[in-house]
Amino acid sequence: MTPRPARPVPVVDLDEIARGKRDVGAKAAALARARGRGLPVLPGVVVPAAEGRRLVAAAAPVRAEAGPHAATLAVMDAARELDLSAVVAAARALGDRLVVRSSSAFEDDASWSGAFSSFLDVSPDEVPTAVAGCWASACAPTVLELCARMGRRPEEVCPAVLVQPMVAPEAGGTARVPAPAGGGAAAV
């Protein structure tokens, strides 16, 4: 039997993200808005959440039978069958040292802060493993506990994956931008 060709996984440039966070997540959507407003945000690409959601949903029987760690490995294993060559090519254009991080549609709620995996100092060749790791983190015990507490399914919260150049910051912080006429602070 001839193996099926791998399905290519799409990648979206941060500057091409349309409004909405479902497919790219709260973090990537906010960064895209900030870049669109001219703020100094690093370039990046996003692997939409759809493929990860499919893998996490397919791992549900494994999770039910063998537990969250087995489901995490099942997602990572299944991700090896995907064609992530477009993601790797886009990552190469960003540099040799990358950060690969989750961007779930639910991460604008502080309850989900830090729930999903992120990977620092990743080479372009390591990006497929890091992408799979971000998706598989939707099967982690802490995420499953949050899902149960908040009435969500793991595939529903599965993150998109944001890839950006790695930087070594000298300082950090946050900024609030006043809303136009009559509002409080506006999110960027």
Side-chain angles (χ1 to χ4, degrees), residues 7-47:
R7 187 172 54 246
V9 174
V11 62
V12 180
D13 190 279
L14 204 53
D15 291 332
E16 297 172 1
I17 292 174
R19 297 180 71 88
K21 63 183 181 182
R22 173 148 170 75
D23 288 331
V24 298
K27 190 181 301 169
L31 290 173
R33 283 192 306 273
R35 279 183 66 84
R37 292 180 178 168
L39 293 172
V41 173
L42 291 169
V45 295
V46 180
V47 183

Side-chain angles (χ1 to χ4, degrees), residues 91-115:
R92 281 191 200 294
L94 296 171
D96 294 331
R97 294 180 61 223
L98 306 164
V99 59
V100 179
R101 38 193 204 145
S102 65
S103 182
S104 173
F106 295 90
E107 285 180 310
D108 56 0
D109 176 341
S111 301
W112 294 96
S113 179

Side-chain angles (χ1 to χ4, degrees), residues 2 17 41 52 67 78-79 92 96 105 133 146-147 156 161 163 165 173:
T2 309
I17 292 174
V41 173
R92 281 191 200 294
D96 294 331
L146 275 168
C147 284
E156 181 182 8
V161 182
V163 181

